[in-house]
Amino acid sequence: MTAHRLARAAWGAGAAGLTAVAVHTAPVISTFGPLRNRLMPQLAGKGRPDHVALTFDDGPDHLSTPHFLRLLDAHDLRATFFLLGSMLRRDPALGAEMAAAGHEIGIHGWEHRPLLLRGPRATYDDLARARDLVADTVGRPPTLFRPPYGVMSGATHAACRRLGLTPVLWTCWGEDWRRRATPKSVYRTVTADLRGGGTILLHDSDCTSATGSWRTTLAAVPPILEACRNRGLSVGPLRDHGTPDQVPLAAPADVPAPRAAEAAGAATGRGAR
């Protein structure tokens, strides 16, 4: 059954049918933006209608991230950064600086690899390893997680529950990782789907993108911020985003969760392959 037919079946079956289909087909539905935005608004990062969440993936990168921090500081804005554990390990001081500046820190996993290709143990190890490094670096455990490529799996949902993580994807992106992307194309792509309550996905690093693509993203941010202002939308991190019914998106930062040391594979690197 296609994702389109699954969605139609869910709507036709009513609320109970919708819940059942969404649960059992979550990895399929969450991959497709329109379906995700409609059927899984919290996973898509939909918040209160007067706010837009600004998020960045793949950092921290000592070559590019400081430029974004300076730009955001000049606009007196804070954002949510989903960090890769493998990148944070290279420059923990930069990660600590980001948190000290008031930015929200989430995790993007340890390595930028599709989680659908991993089993439950390797998935848990990957997330736990990144979660623990962020906690040790910034002084408290993160509560938000964005999967590489935006693809969730049953094992990923289970790992998030064990680790006290809330998975968050996006409602619009800039396709800024492409070699052919330009500041204008990133701006047009973001604003085409930009709505109040939306979550913007951009990248502050080119570690998994076209070389130098972060410069394109950096140039696109100011006009995107202006577009938000012109539409009467405030911009900030996901912690200020809420949900359509004003329920906070993230769990409290002090939610107890097992550390990666409980997963023996993390210490040997099994979860990073």
Side-chain angles (χ1 to χ4, degrees):
M1 183 179 291
T2 67
H4 178 68
R5 289 180 178 176
L6 285 169
R8 291 182 60 186
W11 284 112
L18 172 60
T19 300
V21 173
V23 168
H24 292 291
T25 63
V28 175
I29 293 175
S30 65
T31 303
F32 300 98
L35 286 176
R36 179 175 71 240
N37 293 346
R38 175 182 293 183
L39 302 181
M40 301 176 173
Q42 185 171 10
L43 179 62
K46 295 185 73 172
R48 66 178 203 265
D50 63 338
H51 188 266
V52 168
L54 180 61
T55 71
F56 296 91
D57 288 3
D58 291 359
D61 190 322
H62 71 282
L63 294 176
S64 55
T65 302
H67 293 278
F68 288 88
L69 299 181
R70 287 193 290 270
L71 174 62
L72 293 172
D73 186 62
H75 287 269
D76 194 26
L77 291 177
R78 302 298 175 264
T80 300
F81 288 84
F82 288 95
L83 307 186
L84 288 169
S86 56
M87 294 294 286
L88 180 60
R89 180 175 60 177
R90 300 177 185 180
D91 200 339
L94 179 55
E97 177 186 343
M98 296 164 73
H103 298 289
E104 184 176 34
I105 305 300
I107 64 169
H108 200 31
W110 187 264
E111 289 188 347
H112 202 281
R113 295 174 57 192
L115 292 172
L116 280 177
L117 303 180
R118 303 185 182 194
R121 180 59 174 270
T123 297
Y124 175 84
D125 287 355
D126 184 275
L127 272 62
R129 193 178 180 194
R131 197 284 306 259
D132 288 352
L133 180 58
V134 167
D136 292 341
T137 301
V138 308
R140 65 176 187 174
T143 60
L144 300 178
F145 166 69
R146 176 172 287 157
Y149 305 104
V151 179
M152 295 288 290
S153 66
T156 308
H157 283 288
C160 285
R161 286 194 296 270
R162 290 181 63 189
L163 293 166
L165 296 168
T166 298
V168 184
L169 301 183
W170 58 87
T171 63
C172 57
W173 60 7
E175 297 188 353
D176 53 340
W177 65 87
R178 300 175 183 271
R179 190 173 303 279
R180 65 174 182 269
T182 65
K184 288 185 178 180
S185 75
V186 172
Y187 169 83
R188 286 196 302 267
T189 305
V190 168
T191 56
D193 293 322
L194 182 63
R195 304 288 186 275
T199 292
I200 300 172
L201 163 62
L202 297 170
H203 297 79
D204 64 305
S205 170
D206 63 3
C207 67
T208 64
S209 306
T211 301
S213 59
W214 66 267
R215 298 181 185 277
T216 297
T217 306
L218 187 69
V221 170
I224 290 173
L225 296 179
E226 183 178 3
C228 291
R229 287 193 296 269
N230 291 340
R231 300 182 188 190
L233 302 171
S234 61
V235 179
L238 281 162
R239 64 171 174 249
D240 297 338
H241 199 39
T243 63
D245 58 2
Q246 301 301 301
V247 176
L249 180 65
D254 59 353
V255 170
R259 295 184 59 81
E262 297 175 4
T268 62
R270 286 204 306 258
R273 294 193 178 93

